[in-house]
Amino acid sequence: MRIEDALSAMATGVWRWDHAAQRADVDPEAVRLFALPTGTTSVSKADLRCRFHPADWPQVNQVINRALTQRGPSECQLRIVDAEDRSLRVVRMRAYPLDEEDRDDGLTVIGIVQELPEAQQTGPGGAEGTAPEQATVEWLRSREAFLLDAGRALAEARTTEDVLRVTARLSMPDFSPDGLVIFRAEAGRLVAVGHRGYDTTRLPFAELPLEADHPGIEVLQTGHPVYISSPEEYRRRYPGTWALASRFGRESWAFLPLIVQGRTEGVWLAAFGRPVSFTPDERSILTTVARYLGQALSRTSRRESERELTLRLQRSMLPTTQPDIPGMTVASRYVPTGGGLQVGGDWYDVIPLPSGRFALAIGDVQGHDVYAASVMGQLRIALRAYASEGHPPDAVLSRASRFLCGLNGERSDSDPTENPRFATCLYLELDPERATLEVARAGHPDLVTRMSDGTLLVRQTAGGPPLGLIHDADYPISRLQLEPGDLTILYTDGLIETGGHDWDSGWARLRDAIEASAGKNLETMADTLVDSVHGQLSHHTAGRLSNRREDDIALMLLCYNTPGCGCDGEVRAPRRLRRTAQTIAQAEPERVSGVRRQLRDLLHDWAVPEQVDSAELMTSEMVTNVLIHTDDDAQMVAEVAGEAGERRLRVEVGDASDELPHRRRPGELASSGRGLMLLEMLAHSWGVDPRGKGKCTWFELYENAPEPGGSLSDELLAEEPALPDAEPGPSASLIESE
């Protein structure tokens, strides 16, 4: 009997696929089974496709592609649609790759097609007992849904650990591996770089030379997957490494190549604790997941390498150690942005000065790219050089601005399309012995003080333009006094405005974080402040915003140590005193409004709002009087002492003039002369004290005390000499600059 007659008797046809020509040669039985016109010997891809059920044609492509790429048999069940009566015939189609010696110049697959009786018809993947059409549709939907979920989850993974965790949790249709390993070739050996479902503390993976008899090495060398359905098959095919695999008690294994841009970058081992036959559909799913997995691992590995490069670059530009400051504790953090190479222009520094003092600098160069990082490195070195020469803060920033202007000029000459870069900076000179700060500011946010009782004050300081904008810019110096237990916070705007926050909402978030870290050491507080920003960002992922940082974050914390202040890790003892001091220079009258805001912040929990308004009015009046009627700066000191509800506020404004004020009786149209009248009407007590060279005008308010009622001391005024008209100006509005 001829072989054609034998195949025809078994309702089996033979076909041959030329992948290069996209045509199939068919024998007479295949013509009948494919419902082709009688006498057809060769059929194009388009004519063949119209004979299959539309939902089944993708499986034909998969069968052919698997046979070509995996060099093994592949099969599936398909539905043939009769063009005349539209009836369905279910067939099994199997494909085999031709051996190298039998192949012609094209890619060729040979196969058989066999009609199945109804009793043998199953759905794809072996779902017996289901009508072919229903089983096919349901199974295809299940597979497509799984692959969509798998692709989406792996695409969103950001680290290698995320990729492994997502892959381990994938629930494949009807079968799921209970162990996975990622292998790579490193230094001539096969190394496991990640795994799930294996207890490697008890049974570690062995590192094998690339000449060993192992399925993973075969996959690396050939780029084709290896499927092993049973321990017997593993022992027979790979006897040299069976002892290593048998230790973990698995029953079936699939080794799949992780291919990225045509190169095999690694191997994915999917191990099963039960026997798996690896049907064509199961192999198709594993192959697709391996493709997703390879892309995800390549992306996360590249991102982690970039991040490591970034961190090394950034560490080289930031101080590696910080000098010890007597009586002070310093903590600092730098967190780069999440975009690109994660390099940016934020920096901080602590610089020992020749005078025995210390300089603290924090700044932000415009941009989040490599050039911003390079400018930051050069600017930081320049600042250290100017500071080490012993220049005061204003001179240091002026020289740094000229330096950056020069850099911008060189850059524009070499690349006319490059925009000039500017930088903000806050530069402090700290005297640890006197606990004083001299502050110069170049367009940077003001520093913040957390007082010993937890009160937060934004310290209003004079400032100049950002560095690099004006060649001969001026940067006035502000002098601040630190109190025991004060915590000074220096930061860049990324700590406040990241995550869609404006200045007010960002500060509200930061206040909560500072309160939550009360009593903890300074390092823990720094971590808490940074984490408060990242925690807010993570909630935006549901809105399709990536979990990334929008701006660099630089942070420095400086604590004036006292026992129990919290910087040493002890619980901060509650104190009943809060105090702030500020100097307002003659050339800076616009800073009177900052004094009022600072006083209001100091009294944020004062029980009587009307008294806060009165204190703000009287303080503004006393400071304004000094600036108008003397040639000296005004030194303001405000102090709150006592228990809540019974506290005392004392505000002192001093100057270097020995000319004492006296009360006048201005007319209705007079523009001055009401200063002492305001103190008499609003303060519970007040006075003027001579202090060496100069004087101090002060007032006191008592929380929840009755309103003052004109308790001016006539005896005090009677003792005052009759002086020329040198008295406070009108109520709080001589200088108004919000």
Side-chain angles (χ1 to χ4, degrees), residues 279-296:
T279 65
D281 295 305
E282 292 170 343
R283 295 187 182 195
S284 173
I285 290 177
L286 289 170
T287 302
T288 304
V289 173
R291 187 161 57 248
Y292 293 159
L293 182 58
Q295 296 291 337

Side-chain angles (χ1 to χ4, degrees), residues 495-519:
L495 188 69
I496 305 297
E497 298 179 343
T498 297
H501 287 272
D502 57 18
W503 190 258
D504 293 332
S505 63
W507 257 116
R509 174 185 61 185
L510 209 60
R511 287 176 185 269
D512 295 340
I514 294 173
E515 292 177 2
S517 58

Side-chain angles (χ1 to χ4, degrees), residues 328 428 430-432 434-437 447 449 459 480-488 558-560 579 581:
M328 304 283 174
L428 286 69
L430 167 65
D431 185 344
R434 297 179 175 84
T436 59
L437 293 174
L447 61 88
T449 299
R459 307 303 291 264
L480 302 176
Q481 180 71 45
L482 296 177
E483 298 295 329
D486 278 0
L487 173 67
T488 302
L558 171 69
C559 185
Y560 184 9
R579 185 173 183 270

Side-chain angles (χ1 to χ4, degrees), residues 18 20 103-108:
D18 186 341
R103 293 174 59 184
D104 51 20
D105 55 355
L107 297 175
T108 306

Side-chain angles (χ1 to χ4, degrees), residues 144-195:
E144 290 173 359
F146 162 74
L147 293 177
L148 284 174
D149 291 341
R152 185 183 304 112
L154 289 172
E156 294 176 354
R158 301 182 61 82
T159 66
T160 300
E161 284 298 313
D162 289 344
V163 172
L164 294 176
R165 183 173 59 255
V166 167
T167 307
R169 292 177 179 176
L170 293 178
S171 180
M172 301 182 184
D174 301 327
F175 77 110
S176 294
D178 56 4
L180 68 90
V181 185
I182 303 298
F183 294 102
R184 281 182 181 158
E186 296 181 0
R189 304 182 71 85
L190 183 69
V191 179
V193 296
H195 62 86

Side-chain angles (χ1 to χ4, degrees), residues 599 603 606 608-619 639-641 646-651 678-686 698-708:
L599 184 65
L603 301 176
W606 195 264
V608 185
E610 292 79 5
Q611 290 183 343
V612 177
D613 295 336
S614 299
E616 185 179 353
L617 179 61
M618 290 186 288
T619 303
E639 181 180 276
V640 177
E646 300 178 355
R647 290 174 291 188
R648 181 203 66 183
L649 167 67
R650 181 181 176 92
V651 177
L678 285 174
L679 295 180
E680 177 184 342
M681 294 171 57
L682 301 177
H684 288 107
S685 60
W686 68 278
W698 59 270
F699 70 85
E700 291 183 351
L701 290 176
Y702 308 112
E703 194 173 19
N704 288 322
E707 294 184 5

Side-chain angles (χ1 to χ4, degrees), residues 330-621:
V330 179
S332 55
R333 294 291 183 273
Y334 173 77
V335 183
T337 183
L341 284 178
Q342 294 187 321
V343 293
D346 291 24
W347 89 95
Y348 63 86
D349 208 349
V350 181
I351 310 168
L353 301 179
S355 61
R357 297 183 176 188
F358 295 85
L360 283 74
I362 191 167
D364 181 3
V365 175
Q366 173 199 13
H368 306 110
D369 52 19
V370 175
Y371 180 57
S374 67
V375 171
M376 177 270 287
Q378 297 177 78
L379 185 59
R380 173 177 169 263
I381 293 172
L383 274 173
R384 290 186 69 91
Y386 299 142
S388 299
E389 291 176 354
H391 298 293
D394 55 345
V396 170
L397 290 190
S398 294
R399 285 167 167 78
S401 184
R402 287 196 292 271
F403 172 79
L404 188 53
C405 286
L407 279 184
N408 287 333
E410 295 175 4
R411 180 73 174 180
S412 60
D413 291 341
S414 61
D415 185 1
T417 62
E418 179 66 35
N419 295 324
R421 299 295 179 101
F422 63 85
T424 65
C425 182
L426 185 64
Y427 182 91
L428 286 69
E429 186 171 310
L430 167 65
D431 185 344
E433 293 184 1
R434 297 179 175 84
T436 59
L437 293 174
E438 292 186 352
V439 184
R441 187 168 58 87
H444 201 81
D446 277 306
L447 61 88
V448 174
T449 299
R450 189 204 68 177
M451 311 185 78
S452 57
D453 68 342
T455 299
L456 285 179
L457 289 182
V458 178
R459 307 303 291 264
Q460 304 289 334
T461 59
L467 306 177
L469 293 183
I470 302 176
H471 191 272
D472 296 320
D474 182 37
Y475 299 95
I477 296 177
S478 302
R479 294 171 177 83
L480 302 176
Q481 180 71 45
L482 296 177
E483 298 295 329
D486 278 0
L487 173 67
T488 302
I489 306 173
L490 289 71
Y491 54 91
T492 55
D493 54 4
L495 188 69
I496 305 297
E497 298 179 343
T498 297
H501 287 272
D502 57 18
W503 190 258
D504 293 332
S505 63
W507 257 116
R509 174 185 61 185
L510 209 60
R511 287 176 185 269
D512 295 340
I514 294 173
E515 292 177 2
S517 58
K520 300 178 182 178
N521 62 42
L522 216 58
E523 296 293 333
T524 303
M525 176 177 288
D527 290 334
T528 301
L529 295 183
V530 173
D531 290 343
S532 69
V533 177
H534 296 174
Q536 291 287 332
L537 283 177
S538 63
H539 297 306
H540 291 193
T541 55
R544 306 310 303 158
L545 293 177
S546 62
N547 184 15
R548 65 180 180 87
R549 292 174 290 276
E550 301 166 3
D551 198 359
D552 302 347
I553 295 174
L555 171 68
M556 293 187 72
L557 304 178
L558 171 69
C559 185
Y560 184 9
N561 294 342
T562 58
C565 69
C567 299
D568 51 8
E570 300 178 7
V571 176
R572 177 167 48 84
R575 292 167 55 100
R576 301 187 181 92
L577 177 68
R578 67 178 71 154
R579 185 173 183 270
T580 184
Q582 188 170 348
T583 299
I584 302 91
Q586 275 282 330
E588 303 164 356
E590 66 277 0
R591 292 183 57 208
V592 176
S593 62
V595 172
R596 294 197 294 271
R597 284 195 297 270
Q598 185 161 293
L599 184 65
R600 185 168 290 275
D601 289 341
L602 189 74
L603 301 176
H604 67 94
D605 57 352
W606 195 264
V608 185
E610 292 79 5
Q611 290 183 343
V612 177
D613 295 336
S614 299
E616 185 179 353
L617 179 61
M618 290 186 288
T619 303
S620 176
E621 185 68 32

